[in-house]
Amino acid sequence: MTEPRQFVIEADGGSRGNPGPAGYGAVVIDPVTGETLAEAAEYIGIATNNVAEYRGLIAGLKAAKALVPDASAGDALRVRVRMDSKLVVEQMSGRWKIKHPDMKPLAAEAARILPASAVTYEWIPREKNKHADRLANEAMDAGKRGKQWEPSASTAALDLPPVSGPPGDAAAGAAKARAAISTRREPAPTPQVGWGAAPDMGAPATFVLLRHGETALTPEKRFSGSGGTDPELSAAGRHQAERVAESLAARGTIQEIVSSPLRRCRETAATVAARLGLTVEIEDGLRETDFGAWEGLTFAEVRERYGPDLDAWLASTRTPPTGGGESFAEVARRVSSTRDRLTTRYAGRTVLLVTHVTPIKTLVRLALGAPPESLFRMELSAASLSAVAYYADGNASLRLLNDTSHLR
């Protein structure tokens, strides 16, 4: 059974006078990658704040539905709506009665867009709803000039990408929203649970993240993913694995070992396991990105042969490498799903995950709520150690990054 797509909608509306010139803004966010998938805004004339807020909610729900062609099916989509309007959140959650005659038809329209089982509502403070608030103000500013809101120049040239379902259906769904919705390259902050938002829930699942030792491709900085030759450890890589095994044995904290299925990780994990007296579990979700036609090439060689494709890949995490590889957005969804399974399975335990550059950077990025471009701003050496602790209340804590002291 296909897992439902998950989106976060942030929506807002306002009026300058209440009632007065009014507008709304809404944004659809991928909760895994933090990317903005779609945004909408409109000047709606003279209206109250509450009417504008409801109109923003409706626009956000319609935008999410347009991204998933079969969204009317209750198991195809899950949406978390985040708004700073206590009124809208409480009324749509069914906790407050809707008494005002202007609100009733708007609430009914919002409720018809997606199945009730697919939508949950959450109140957030105004300072955490800045993206939607900005769009609402842009719409009101445009209305003041006698114009309608339009996407910014950086986004207007982009098409709304299909997110789910057959290509033809997805394109049709996207086309319905294209008039008022634009995709953006700029990521929105990934929704996070704050330090004080929930109590500590006991001992965390701690993932010690070990990048495999060197292969023949590592010193030459060649793309080496899951779609290439699956190289073995070099002599230097085997020495690195021995050194990290010594260090981990001295620390004495590792209770489980889980490895990517690729050979360089399995060999690194086996060396550590032999030293610690543990077995190794293989987890396919920890494999490296499939770099398609770039496998085995240096960055300079890819630039020379596939320059435009490389530029597109660097500009968007949704763009795969040449030849049908994986986009970073696809890897993020795979890695986050793996993380969720493993944190549940190993709650309260310390687990060594032997994996690769992209999965480790992705786990670190998601733990910090950092934007997708942060993947290009981290250094991870061969046989380096990083660590993230995951608590049952939703908090994640980065404990270590790129430690190579055991190799010196």
Side-chain angles (χ1 to χ4, degrees):
M1 181 177 177
T2 303
E3 290 290 325
R5 285 305 314 275
Q6 298 193 28
F7 296 144
V8 168
I9 294 173
E10 293 177 356
D12 198 12
S15 66
R16 294 168 179 171
N18 200 30
Y24 67 74
V27 56
V28 182
I29 301 167
D30 185 324
V32 173
T33 66
E35 288 184 290
T36 296
L37 302 177
E39 57 181 20
E42 185 183 7
Y43 173 68
I44 60 175
I46 304 300
T48 65
N49 281 327
N50 292 338
V51 167
E53 289 164 345
Y54 262 107
R55 292 286 298 274
L57 168 64
I58 290 168
L61 291 170
K62 288 181 176 179
K65 182 177 181 179
L67 288 167
V68 180
D70 55 350
S72 295
D75 58 353
L77 179 63
R78 293 290 182 271
V79 170
R80 180 154 60 105
V81 176
R82 293 157 46 93
M83 298 181 69
D84 59 60
S85 169
K86 189 75 169 177
L87 176 83
V88 175
V89 168
E90 294 299 316
Q91 288 182 343
M92 292 303 298
S93 298
R95 292 185 288 269
W96 289 4
K97 289 184 178 180
I98 304 173
K99 299 179 180 180
H100 197 287
D102 290 344
M103 301 300 109
K104 289 182 178 180
L106 293 171
E109 181 180 355
R112 288 193 298 267
I113 296 170
L114 293 171
S117 61
V119 186
T120 58
Y121 291 88
E122 174 189 349
W123 179 84
I124 57 174
R126 188 173 185 83
E127 60 269 18
K128 292 188 177 181
N129 203 25
K130 291 181 179 179
H131 192 153
D133 178 70
R134 172 176 60 79
L135 294 174
N137 279 287
E138 286 179 1
M140 286 185 277
D141 290 342
K144 185 177 181 180
R145 298 192 300 269
K147 299 180 179 181
Q148 280 293 337
W149 175 85
E150 295 181 356
S152 64
S154 64
T155 65
L158 298 175
D159 285 333
L160 192 64
V163 176
S164 174
D169 291 343
K176 295 177 182 178
R178 194 169 281 118
I181 304 168
S182 72
T183 56
R184 294 178 59 88
R185 284 191 174 130
E186 298 93 325
T190 303
Q192 295 289 317
V193 178
W195 283 105
D200 186 296
M201 300 295 285
T206 301
F207 291 170
V208 178
L209 309 172
L210 170 60
R211 185 189 171 193
H212 60 81
E214 287 187 8
T215 73
L217 301 179
T218 308
E220 299 178 5
K221 297 187 180 298
R222 295 184 179 274
F223 283 92
S224 181
S226 58
T229 58
D230 196 13
E232 64 182 355
L233 293 180
S234 64
R238 290 191 291 273
H239 177 69
Q240 290 168 339
E242 292 285 355
R243 295 294 298 274
V244 76
E246 292 175 8
S247 176
L248 292 172
R251 299 184 192 191
T253 56
I254 301 299
Q255 297 169 293
E256 313 280 351
I257 301 177
V258 182
S259 173
S260 156
L262 299 184
R263 184 174 181 178
R264 51 198 182 273
C265 286
R266 288 188 286 109
E267 291 179 344
T268 303
T271 299
V272 176
R275 186 62 180 265
L276 301 185
L278 298 173
T279 59
V280 178
E281 176 188 344
I282 302 300
E283 170 55 62
D284 186 64
L286 295 177
R287 69 184 186 277
E288 181 59 287
T289 307
D290 181 347
F291 291 111
W294 303 351
E295 294 279 358
L297 302 179
T298 64
F299 189 90
E301 289 169 340
V302 172
R303 168 69 69 193
E304 180 181 355
R305 301 181 194 183
Y306 307 105
D309 290 353
L310 181 63
D311 289 338
W313 180 72
L314 292 171
S316 172
T317 59
R318 291 193 297 271
T319 301
T322 307
E326 286 181 290
S327 70
F328 280 151
E330 290 172 320
V331 174
R333 283 189 283 271
R334 164 164 60 83
V335 169
S336 65
S337 177
T338 302
R339 173 204 62 195
D340 292 345
R341 290 197 309 274
L342 295 180
T343 52
T344 299
R345 185 183 310 165
Y346 296 115
R349 298 182 69 76
T350 299
V351 186
L352 180 70
L353 304 188
V354 186
T355 180
H356 309 263
V357 169
T358 309
I360 294 174
K361 287 185 177 182
T362 299
L363 289 168
V364 169
R365 180 181 79 75
L366 295 176
L368 294 175
E373 60 264 28
S374 64
L375 291 173
F376 300 109
R377 299 174 184 174
M378 285 183 257
E379 175 68 25
L380 281 176
S381 303
S384 64
L385 289 168
S386 303
V388 180
Y390 298 91
Y391 292 88
D393 62 1
N395 280 309
S397 175
L398 178 64
R399 302 291 181 83
L400 188 69
L401 181 64
N402 196 39
D403 177 21
T404 57
S405 58
H406 49 278
L407 303 178
R408 296 170 192 157

